[in-house]
């Protein structure tokens, strides 16, 4: 889980996509409008974000909307806090 998360977060484009999704759910086309890269490139970034469980997708009519999955962030923060707490207890 964490390996995929950190790999996904390592790319600045993917971090920008996550920032966009903080405001509202968007289609891949709406996301692509914010970047000067091809739509297939954005789709690949979205696929990596989905594999890391950072975003979810749902079909509404003929469009697929992407949304931010905050659960994975909570799990990562808990993992980091556990590392910190383990060191303080030693």
């Amino acid at each position: 889980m964490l390996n995929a998360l950190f790999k996904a977060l390592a790319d600045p484009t993917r971090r920008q996509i996550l920032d966009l999704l903080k405001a509202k759910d968007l289609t891949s086309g709406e996301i692509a409008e914010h970047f000067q890269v091809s739509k297939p490139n954005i789709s690949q970034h979205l696929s990596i974000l989905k594999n890391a469980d950072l975003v979810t997708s749902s079909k509404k009519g003929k469009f697929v909307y992407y949304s931010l999955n905050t659960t994975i962030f909570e799990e990562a923060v808990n993992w980091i806090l556990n590392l910190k707490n383990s060191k303080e207890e030693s």
Side-chain angles (χ1 to χ4, degrees), residues 50-68:
K50 280 183 68 174
N51 287 339
D53 289 329
L54 290 167
V55 299
T56 59
S57 62
S58 59
K59 191 166 175 88
K60 296 177 186 169
K62 62 180 183 173
F63 296 102
V64 175
Y65 283 84
Y66 293 88
S67 46
L68 193 59

Side-chain angles (χ1 to χ4, degrees), residues 6-77:
F6 291 131
K7 176 186 175 187
L9 292 175
D11 185 89
T13 300
R14 291 192 283 272
R15 291 193 305 268
Q16 284 180 282
I17 291 170
L18 294 174
D19 280 337
L20 290 171
L21 293 174
K22 282 191 313 188
K24 65 178 182 174
D25 297 352
L26 298 168
T27 66
S28 60
E30 291 170 329
I31 292 168
E33 291 173 4
H34 295 269
F35 300 93
Q36 294 187 357
V37 297
S38 67
K39 287 184 181 181
N41 188 281
I42 293 298
S43 291
Q44 185 170 357
H45 284 298
L46 287 167
S47 176
I48 292 168
L49 290 169
K50 280 183 68 174
N51 287 339
D53 289 329
L54 290 167
V55 299
T56 59
S57 62
S58 59
K59 191 166 175 88
K60 296 177 186 169
K62 62 180 183 173
F63 296 102
V64 175
Y65 283 84
Y66 293 88
S67 46
L68 193 59
N69 179 12
T70 57
T71 304
I72 194 75
F73 291 107
E74 292 168 8
E75 290 174 12
V77 168

